């Protein structure tokens, strides 16, 4: 079988190396994906049940809504390299969002798209930023309820292809 902890460590090491080569900041536990991507997905908080010593990316667990979201992205043919993920309600989330916004603003106001998963992330965004964004259903609800999954996939497809 596969050695998941070893594989996960290799992925973490690759992302850190890749970020460094691109001149991007070191990824924190509140982020994942391509810092230079013009499409941002905002989540609520990372699942830190495994302890805080691990790189707790928004989508690091091979289960639950992380796995569901990855499967939906794959089903839609969306390359994760086109996306950046930030968990708004992680202690570094707002800092990471400011870094990302400032970096893109420095690129002559490059047009960006922001999708927000769920009400908790949306409330934090509204309380701290004045940004145009697209509200999206939370992946966990889509994972739990089959009829909600169709709505989730359609809204995500429209947002990513807009």
């Amino acid at each position: 079988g596969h050695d998941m902890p070893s594989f996960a460590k290799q992925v973490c090491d690759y992302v850190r190396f890749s970020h460094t080569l691109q001149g991007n900041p070191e990824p924190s536990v509140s982020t994942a994906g391509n810092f230079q991507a013009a499409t941002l997905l905002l989540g609520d908080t990372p699942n830190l049940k495994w302890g805080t010593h691990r790189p707790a990316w928004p989508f690091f667990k091979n289960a639950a809504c992380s796995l569901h979201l990855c499967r939906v992205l794959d089903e839609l043919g969306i390359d994760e390299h086109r996306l950046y993920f930030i968990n708004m309600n992680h202690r570094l989330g707002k800092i990471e969002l400011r870094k990302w916004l400032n970096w893109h603003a420095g690129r002559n106001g490059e047009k960006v798209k922001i999708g927000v998963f769920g009400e908790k992330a949306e409330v934090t965004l509204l309380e701290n930023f004045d940004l145009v964004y697209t509200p999206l259903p939370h992946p966990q609800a889509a994972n739990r309820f089959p009829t909600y999954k169709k709505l989730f996939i359609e809204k995500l497809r429209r947002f990513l292809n807009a």
Side-chain angles (χ1 to χ4, degrees):
H2 297 268
D3 181 6
M4 277 307 282
S6 175
F7 175 71
K9 182 183 179 325
Q10 289 174 2
V11 170
C12 293
D13 291 344
Y14 170 77
V15 169
R16 283 189 187 94
F17 178 71
S18 170
H19 270 259
T20 302
L21 285 179
Q22 295 172 15
N24 296 332
E26 173 81 11
S28 79
V29 295
S30 64
T31 66
N34 178 8
F35 180 83
Q36 296 180 1
T39 300
L40 175 67
L41 295 174
L42 294 176
D44 181 20
T45 57
N47 179 347
L48 296 176
K49 290 179 184 172
W50 293 353
T52 57
H53 66 281
R54 292 190 56 149
W57 297 345
F59 313 107
F60 78 107
K61 189 176 175 188
N62 191 25
C65 63
S66 297
L67 178 60
H68 177 69
L69 178 58
C70 291
R71 285 182 174 167
V72 169
L73 291 172
D74 184 58
E75 182 180 317
L76 294 174
I78 303 298
D79 182 351
E80 290 181 9
H81 187 73
R82 291 179 36 201
L83 308 171
Y84 193 55
F85 305 91
I86 297 175
N87 278 316
M88 281 299 297
N89 293 318
H90 180 274
R91 63 182 176 79
L92 298 174
K94 292 182 282 278
I95 294 168
E96 295 296 341
L97 178 54
R98 283 186 189 95
K99 278 194 238 176
W100 184 81
L101 291 168
N102 290 337
W103 190 85
H104 283 279
R107 296 177 54 94
N108 297 320
E110 178 180 36
K111 184 178 177 183
V112 296
K113 292 191 305 187
I114 300 172
V116 182
F117 289 126
E119 291 178 18
K120 290 180 183 179
E122 186 174 6
V123 166
T124 302
L125 182 68
L126 289 171
E127 289 174 350
N128 295 277
F129 297 88
D130 183 21
L131 298 171
V132 174
Y133 67 94
T134 301
L136 296 167
H138 194 285
Q140 187 59 37
N143 186 39
R144 288 182 182 169
F145 306 107
T147 54
Y148 200 67
K149 179 180 179 181
K150 292 176 187 175
L151 174 68
F152 173 75
I153 290 172
E154 186 52 37
K155 285 190 173 193
L156 188 59
R157 178 192 331 265
R158 279 193 306 246
F159 167 72
L160 293 172
N161 293 324

